[in-house]
């Protein structure tokens, strides 16, 4: 049963996944071209100074891409479920509603995490070509909260979209914006370093919180 | 209804509220006020300050606000307000350009006459901020070692940068992005020959080309010996300084200056500040009472007559005026106006039982998460929230709320109340 849900969810978002993957790769290529151009236009030691010492984030294009991907994956996964309340069918399968919902989330999170890992790996690779390992480390510490913002956006959008009540939908959107904003502050590169472990907590809380609208959807009184 | 899911959801609502509601409130009601500017006036030989007044502006201050906002006050140490122009006249060594325009220069003070050239040559500011200390901001430990004898007027960055590993002073070539083994061996060997013990504790220097000349870097080795490392004609020039290891030097704020009297300031492990002199790296202690380098920003302002140390945390600013031999001649402590508790501040405490803060602070460049408790006023706010919650629930539903819910509101005040209202809608 769960395997069938996995398959259904994968089929539902496979085109989007492919398109998002292409966009992510294009963005990484753009960052590579920008990096290369930095080194063509200026002496490498000056670029190192600007990026590693002055904290210039020239790969800032990557900041909101995970966020958009997270939102898109959630929309493609859950909007069709909510149209005509198709999700009710899944929730009436002979499996617990929590398991059904978590299976949906697992598929979305797996796809999102794969994209985020590609981003981080690509950024690390690009930095590694032009900068010493200190450069790789600081760029990954800078981009990791952005990736976490995408995960928060995915889970938060799922929370908002699965909610049947419009007032609570609005509340959930505010919660999503709030949690996502925690990861997107304008700070120096690598400034999030010591807080990254703690910042996993809101993501962990979002996961079971999504079950609340699912239960409400499943057990609400209709009519 | 899944109670666990509801509980987690409520926790999430409380967390988000505790982070953002205080931010929103502060943006609307609380004025963000910068720190007071405090100086020693060589004219009156007393302290004089400029600050933005929080709360009600005294009539005396308002009366002098001819050419600026009325809440910006210029005040002497005895509490009397002065107009802006009088304030500048009290500080001729700082506003020397304005003094020249109004024809006050050359000025005679303490029997000595100072013209613009003399003032300019003898002014200097050294600064060490809490958030600039190592491990308090996300620094990339990868530094340039400039050529100290560039053979030209302008300093340039070398093609390589160095990092201190557990066993080497390792240079990386920027053109190829690979380790420069020749330079690495040369500097590592030269350091070891002078008695340097790896790994290094800190690398201290002013890593910019926007300075008059280069004095290299000061490395503190594993045993707290301080080494002065320069690149002269592309060769290492290393001196082991006589600075005592007992001081456990924590940081050296280097600032090259044409006066060539002091390399900069040194901070010892126990929080004392020294001036690091050119004369055989002699240390001159700067007598600062109640200085905490982890919380306070320190500024040393040198002028032709005095040196003034000004240091402050978020609420209190202190100053020590010293003569040429760094003997204190006057001290001053002032609670900054920004610390004033206003009506909006009290209402804030009433509304919010605590605040969750995620971000950088004035003393730390890292994003840190911290819970800031409220004051005694917060208890009243929490009580009001409980009353509103219990009364409101009874009125709306005809039943008293559950004990756990009341406890949640009692401990989390407004945040809990919001969470419980949302939970009520959710049910």
């Amino acid at each position: 049963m769960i395997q069938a849900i996995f398959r259904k969810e994968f089929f539902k978002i496979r085109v989007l996944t492919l398109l998002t993957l292409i966009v992510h790769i294009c963005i990484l290529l753009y960052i590579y071209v920008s990096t290369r151009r930095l080194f063509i236009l200026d002496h490498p030691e000056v670029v190192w100074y600007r990026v590693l010492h002055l904290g210039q984030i020239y790969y800032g294009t990557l900041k909101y891409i995970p966020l958009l991907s997270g939102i898109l994956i959630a929309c493609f996964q859950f909007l069709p479920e909510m149209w005509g309340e198709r999700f009710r069918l899944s929730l009436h399968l002979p499996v617990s509603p929590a398991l059904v919902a978590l299976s949906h989330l697992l598929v979305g999170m797996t796809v999102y995490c794969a994209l985020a890992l590609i981003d981080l790996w690509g950024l690390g690779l690009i930095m590694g070509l032009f900068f010493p390992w200190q450069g790789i480390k600081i760029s990954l510490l800078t981009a990791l909260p952005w990736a976490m913002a995408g995960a928060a956006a995915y889970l938060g959008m799922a929370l908002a979209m699965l909610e049947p009540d419009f007032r609570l939908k609005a509340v959930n959107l505010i919660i999503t914006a709030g949690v996502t904003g925690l990861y997107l502050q304008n700070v120096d590169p690598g400034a999030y370093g010591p807080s990254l472990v703690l910042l996993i907590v809101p993501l962990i809380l979002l996961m079971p919180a999504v079950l609340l609208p699912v239960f409400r959807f499943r057990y609400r009184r209709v009519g | 209804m899944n109670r666990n899911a509801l509980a987690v959801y409520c926790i999430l609502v409380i967390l988000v509220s505790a982070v953002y509601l205080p931010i929103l409130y502060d943006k609307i009601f609380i004025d963000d006020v910068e720190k007071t500017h405090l100086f020693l006036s060589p004219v009156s030989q007393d302290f004089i300050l400029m600050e933005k007044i929080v709360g009600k502006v005294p009539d005396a201050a308002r009366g002098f606000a001819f050419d600026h906002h009325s809440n910006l006050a210029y005040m002497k140490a005895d509490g009397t307000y002065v107009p802006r122009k009088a304030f500048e006249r009290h500080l001729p060594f700082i506003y020397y350009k304005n003094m020249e325009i109004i024809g006050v220069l050359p000025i005679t003070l303490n029997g000595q006459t100072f013209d613009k050239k003399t003032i300019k040559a003898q002014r200097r500011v050294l600064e060490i901020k809490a958030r600039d200390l190592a491990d308090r901001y996300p620094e990339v430990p990868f530094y340039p070692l400039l050529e100290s004898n560039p053979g030209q007027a302008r300093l340039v960055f070398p093609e390589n940068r160095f990092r201190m590993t557990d066993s080497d002073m390792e240079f990386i070539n920027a053109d190829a992005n690979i380790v420069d083994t020749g330079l690495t061996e040369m500097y590592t060997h030269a350091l070891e020959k002078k008695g340097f013990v790896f790994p290094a504790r800190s690398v201290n220097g002013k890593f910019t080309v926007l300075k008059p000349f280069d004095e290299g870097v000061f490395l503190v080795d594993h045993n707290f010996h301080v080494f002065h490392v320069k690149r002269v004609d592309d060769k290492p020039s290393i001196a082991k300084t006589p600075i005592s290891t007992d001081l456990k030097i924590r940081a050296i704020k280097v600032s090259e200056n044409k006066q060539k009297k002091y390399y900069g300031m040194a901070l010892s492990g126990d929080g004392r500040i020294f001036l690091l002199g050119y004369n055989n790296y002699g240390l001159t202690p700067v007598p600062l009472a109640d200085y905490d380098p982890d919380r306070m920003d320190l500024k040393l302002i040198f002028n032709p007559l005095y040196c003034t140390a000004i240091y402050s945390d978020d609420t209190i600013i202190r100053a020590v005026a010293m003569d040429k031999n760094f003997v204190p001649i006057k001290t001053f402590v002032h609670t900054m106006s920004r610390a004033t508790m206003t009506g909006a501040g009290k209402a804030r405490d009433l509304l919010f039982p605590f605040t969750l803060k995620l971000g950088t602070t004035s003393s730390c460049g890292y994003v840190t998460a911290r819970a800031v408790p409220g004051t005694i006023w917060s208890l009243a706010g929490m009580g009001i929230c409980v009353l509103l919650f219990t009364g409101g629930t009874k009125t709306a539903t005809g039943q008293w709320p559950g004990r756990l819910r009341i406890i949640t509101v009692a401990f989390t005040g407004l945040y809990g109340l919001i969470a419980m209202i949302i939970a009520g809608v959710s049910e």
Side-chain angles (χ1 to χ4, degrees):
Chain A
M1 191 74 72
I2 296 300
Q3 208 177 359
I5 291 174
F6 285 161
R7 201 176 305 124
K8 176 191 76 141
E9 287 306 295
F10 175 71
F11 279 123
K12 208 161 62 184
I13 58 171
R14 66 183 167 168
V15 177
L16 172 83
T17 305
L18 194 64
L19 288 175
T20 322
L21 178 67
I22 292 168
V23 170
H24 279 245
I25 291 170
C26 287
I27 296 286
L28 286 172
L29 284 173
Y30 174 74
I31 290 170
Y32 170 75
V33 171
S34 304
T35 314
R36 190 173 158 272
R37 189 166 170 76
L38 279 179
F39 281 83
I40 290 171
L41 293 178
D42 234 326
H43 291 286
E45 61 270 21
V46 175
V47 181
W48 279 16
Y49 175 69
R50 290 210 306 256
V51 174
L52 300 180
H53 194 86
L54 299 181
Q56 201 176 75
I57 303 173
Y58 70 90
Y59 46 88
T61 331
L62 209 56
K63 187 170 184 178
Y64 296 103
I65 295 299
L67 184 77
L68 278 174
S69 301
I71 293 171
L72 276 176
I73 294 169
C75 288
F76 270 69
Q77 226 184 328
F78 297 111
L79 272 183
E81 296 288 350
M82 300 315 283
W83 284 331
E85 301 192 343
R86 289 178 202 158
F87 198 44
R88 285 183 81 87
L89 294 174
S90 304
L91 293 177
H92 282 84
L93 292 171
V95 202
S96 98
L99 200 58
V100 171
L102 289 175
S103 308
H104 281 73
L105 290 180
L106 189 64
V107 174
M109 277 302 281
T110 307
V111 168
Y112 173 76
C113 287
L115 289 170
L117 281 175
I118 288 169
D119 281 352
L120 294 172
W121 179 80
L123 182 65
L125 190 71
I126 294 165
M127 293 299 283
L129 290 174
F130 297 94
F131 293 91
W133 68 262
Q134 280 87 353
I136 303 172
K137 186 182 164 193
I138 202 86
S139 65
L140 292 182
L141 280 176
T142 308
L144 195 55
W146 303 344
M148 292 164 88
Y154 169 75
L155 292 168
M157 288 305 287
L159 179 74
M161 277 187 281
L162 291 172
E163 174 56 53
D165 184 302
F166 274 92
R167 292 167 302 169
L168 291 175
K169 239 186 222 306
V171 169
N172 291 350
L173 280 175
I174 292 169
I175 292 172
T176 305
V179 175
T180 307
L182 298 177
Y183 306 92
L184 295 173
Q185 295 185 33
N186 289 320
V187 288
D188 290 336
Y192 270 101
S195 312
L196 284 174
V197 175
L198 192 73
L199 281 170
I200 296 171
V201 174
L203 296 180
I204 293 172
L205 289 177
L206 268 171
M207 194 84 84
V210 175
L211 298 182
L212 182 66
V214 171
F215 283 114
R216 282 171 44 69
F217 194 68
R218 168 71 179 81
Y219 297 110
R220 74 191 162 138
R221 292 183 205 95
V222 183
Chain B
M1 184 63 57
N2 187 311
R3 286 191 168 276
N4 294 334
L6 183 64
V8 172
Y9 182 76
C10 287
I11 292 171
L12 207 55
V13 172
I14 291 169
L15 286 181
V16 172
S17 307
V19 172
Y20 288 101
L21 287 182
I23 293 176
L24 185 67
Y25 182 89
D26 289 354
K27 277 220 188 299
I28 298 169
F29 299 108
I30 306 281
D31 204 0
D32 196 13
V33 179
E34 68 171 59
K35 286 185 176 180
T36 299
H37 298 265
L38 177 63
F39 307 97
L40 178 82
S41 164
V43 178
S44 64
Q45 300 198 345
D46 204 350
F47 290 96
I48 191 162
L49 58 90
M50 173 181 71
E51 73 180 357
K52 192 174 175 184
I53 297 179
V54 176
K56 191 177 181 302
V57 181
D59 290 339
R62 199 186 294 275
F64 286 126
F66 310 124
D67 51 1
H68 52 82
H69 287 182
S70 61
N71 61 351
L72 192 64
Y74 298 90
M75 193 172 78
K76 289 183 180 178
D78 60 9
T80 54
Y81 293 97
V82 292
R84 182 183 63 84
K85 284 184 179 169
F87 172 80
E88 290 188 2
R89 277 173 175 266
H90 270 84
L91 301 166
F93 295 145
I94 290 173
Y95 296 99
Y96 66 93
K97 286 180 183 167
N98 282 357
M99 295 304 108
E100 190 187 32
I101 290 167
I102 61 173
V104 177
L105 292 187
I107 190 168
T108 303
L109 296 164
N110 278 17
Q112 296 176 62
T113 302
F114 304 99
D115 59 6
K116 185 182 172 184
K117 200 178 158 189
T118 321
I119 295 170
K120 217 174 155 183
Q122 296 192 40
R123 283 179 74 230
R124 191 177 182 189
V125 178
L126 287 171
E127 200 170 7
I128 190 162
K129 289 184 176 176
R131 70 182 292 167
D132 290 343
L133 294 173
D135 300 332
R136 298 192 75 87
Y137 74 104
E139 178 198 34
V140 180
F142 196 51
Y143 317 93
L145 187 62
L146 303 187
E147 171 58 59
S148 296
N149 183 25
Q152 59 180 31
R154 194 172 143 262
L155 292 168
V156 287
F157 282 118
E159 285 175 358
N160 37 60
R161 286 190 152 232
F162 72 91
R163 59 191 176 203
M164 301 302 288
T165 67
D166 285 349
S167 58
D168 292 301
M169 181 173 181
E170 193 173 67
F171 284 81
I172 314 288
N173 184 286
D175 288 328
N177 192 21
I178 52 168
V179 175
D180 186 327
T181 45
L183 267 184
T184 302
E185 277 172 24
M186 189 196 293
Y187 276 85
T188 305
H189 182 65
L191 273 173
E192 283 172 342
K193 212 171 150 187
K194 290 280 180 181
F196 189 92
V197 180
F198 285 92
R201 287 188 182 269
S202 67
V203 178
N204 309 276
K206 190 170 183 179
F207 304 108
T208 173
V209 289
L210 303 174
K211 54 187 182 180
F213 56 92
D214 177 65
E215 279 296 357
V217 294
F218 287 87
L219 304 181
V220 181
D221 81 352
H222 187 68
N223 296 337
F224 288 104
H225 283 293
V226 180
F227 292 77
H228 188 191
V229 180
K230 287 167 82 170
R231 174 186 284 197
V232 182
D233 300 327
D234 219 10
K235 295 274 184 304
S237 163
I238 300 172
K240 185 176 182 179
T241 70
I243 296 169
S244 168
T245 53
D246 294 340
L247 289 175
K248 293 187 165 49
I249 292 296
R250 185 175 159 192
I252 298 173
K253 192 75 192 261
V254 180
S255 178
E256 287 88 348
N257 184 279
K258 281 180 183 168
Q259 291 171 14
K260 291 206 170 187
K261 278 168 85 175
Y262 302 107
Y263 289 107
M265 280 191 286
L267 171 68
S268 66
D270 58 3
R272 282 182 293 158
I273 289 285
F274 299 87
L275 284 164
L276 178 57
Y278 269 73
N279 187 7
N280 195 30
Y281 304 101
L283 291 179
T284 308
V286 182
L288 306 174
D290 302 319
Y291 170 62
D292 180 355
D294 290 310
R295 286 191 306 114
M296 298 178 182
D297 299 335
L298 166 69
K299 200 183 265 188
L300 285 186
I301 302 175
F302 295 81
N303 66 34
L305 287 173
Y306 309 103
C307 170
T308 315
I310 295 133
Y311 48 110
S312 57
D313 54 21
D314 287 337
T315 55
I316 293 174
I317 187 164
R318 295 176 169 82
V320 183
M322 293 161 278
D323 64 12
K324 291 273 182 191
N325 299 315
F326 295 94
V327 176
I329 51 175
K330 218 171 185 89
T331 59
F332 184 64
V333 180
H334 173 71
T335 302
M336 291 182 273
S337 185
R338 72 206 302 255
T340 306
M341 181 54 98
T342 58
K346 283 176 187 162
R348 186 189 195 281
D349 285 345
L350 191 72
L351 276 172
F352 308 123
F354 58 89
T355 306
L356 292 182
K357 292 193 174 198
L358 183 83
T360 58
T361 65
S362 59
S363 58
C364 183
Y366 282 112
V367 172
T368 51
R370 58 212 180 279
V372 182
T375 62
I376 194 87
W377 285 84
S378 307
L379 292 174
M382 289 149 90
I384 293 168
C385 286
V386 171
L387 289 175
L388 283 173
F389 176 57
T390 47
T393 310
K394 176 74 178 162
T395 311
T397 63
Q399 288 179 323
W400 294 107
R403 198 183 303 159
L404 191 63
R405 294 187 176 206
I406 296 173
I407 291 170
T408 306
V409 177
F411 279 100
T412 57
L414 181 66
Y415 314 132
L417 183 63
I418 292 169
M420 290 309 127
I421 291 170
I422 295 172
V425 175
S426 179
E427 284 167 333

